[in-house]
Amino acid sequence: MSAPNQRPWAEVHRIPSFLERLEEEGGVRVLEFVDELVGEGSLPIDPEGVVYHDRGIRVPGYDATFVHEPTGSRGRPAFSLEVDSIGPRNTWAVFDATVSWDFYLLMTQGVAALAWVSDEEYRIEEADEFETKHDALTAGRFSFGVFLYGPEDWTERADQLRQTTSPAYLRREDGSTVVPSTQNEFYRYVDATPTEFRTSGNADSYLGLLELELTID
């Protein structure tokens, strides 16, 4: 299920041809790309860092990079997101590039985000409630994204995870936050194992997630 954001987004802009650009360039760094997209100084915040959003999972990082994967997981074309996460955490996800994806830039007061949604996710999870993908994104209905925060908000999120040996923290659908103390506790909360995440993303196939690495050294 898409993880709802508590705040409706004031601006939602579809990004055309993102995967084509990624294939041409091989890699796209999120902070640099968003700055280029909107123009320097045009974001609602001055980003200090990012937080990767994977359903209810959150991982703070200094930046994140999309990478074109020509052969990809399971022998199919793919793209990945690698998060320069805080501390000795390993955070990356691989997505099926044969799926039809749309990428969006979302902005509202105090935060921006780069989100990507497959046609299948929208059709299965959101189409009954929202007439278009744009409407669903405006309401915060998406499973995958990279949030951009200013110094105070990013530091708060990073510090709460730095005090643990968990690879990530969790945001529940009611908006409350759970910060596991250890990696084992994190995986008990999500009712999975690192191997299940690594081999399938522990996700329904229509989401287009092939692999998810969430560990701490």
Side-chain angles (χ1 to χ4, degrees):
M1 181 177 181
S2 297
N5 190 303
Q6 284 189 313
R7 62 170 72 80
W9 293 90
E11 297 184 50
V12 175
H13 305 280
R14 183 176 175 273
I15 304 169
S17 306
F18 179 81
L19 289 180
E20 287 82 353
R21 171 173 174 166
L22 182 61
E23 183 174 358
E24 289 177 3
E25 298 185 5
V28 173
R29 295 182 69 86
V30 169
L31 291 180
E32 180 181 345
F33 174 73
V34 171
D35 193 49
E36 172 191 324
L37 198 64
V38 301
E40 187 174 353
S42 297
L43 283 173
I45 39 90
D46 181 17
E48 179 75 8
V50 304
V51 175
Y52 174 52
H53 159 73
D54 188 314
R55 294 157 288 175
I57 296 165
R58 300 288 196 276
V59 185
Y62 303 101
D63 201 350
T65 303
F66 286 96
V67 178
H68 174 62
E69 307 280 354
T71 54
S73 175
R74 305 175 189 171
R76 71 183 72 180
F79 65 93
S80 63
L81 180 78
E82 301 176 4
V83 183
D84 181 13
S85 42
I86 60 168
R89 291 171 176 82
N90 308 296
T91 310
W92 48 261
V94 180
F95 298 89
D96 186 351
T98 67
V99 171
S100 179
W101 296 93
D102 285 309
F103 286 72
Y104 295 84
L105 176 67
L106 297 80
M107 295 187 288
T108 196
Q109 185 175 1
V111 65
L114 187 64
W116 53 104
V117 180
S118 71
D119 286 354
E120 283 296 280
E121 177 184 352
Y122 167 71
R123 182 182 66 81
I124 292 173
E125 295 197 356
E126 312 299 351
D128 288 344
E129 184 175 354
F130 299 100
E131 187 172 344
T132 66
K133 269 190 188 181
H134 185 281
D135 293 340
L137 269 289
T138 300
R141 303 291 297 187
F142 55 91
S143 290
F144 308 111
V146 178
F147 289 78
L148 284 65
Y149 289 103
E152 184 175 345
D153 288 337
W154 182 82
T155 299
E156 177 185 350
R157 287 161 173 79
D159 284 351
Q160 67 181 353
L161 195 60
R162 281 195 181 102
Q163 299 171 20
T164 77
T165 57
S166 173
Y169 66 90
L170 302 164
R171 188 173 177 85
R172 292 172 169 157
E173 290 193 15
D174 64 4
S176 62
T177 298
V178 176
V179 186
S181 298
T182 65
Q183 179 166 295
N184 286 339
E185 186 179 344
F186 168 81
Y187 277 101
R188 285 198 299 271
Y189 270 113
V190 297
D191 193 24
T193 67
T195 299
E196 287 172 331
F197 269 48
R198 198 173 293 128
T199 55
S200 69
N202 199 37
D204 292 319
S205 60
Y206 65 81
L207 289 175
L209 177 64
L210 300 176
E211 303 174 20
L212 178 60
E213 176 76 16
L214 290 173
T215 55
I216 185 166
D217 295 333

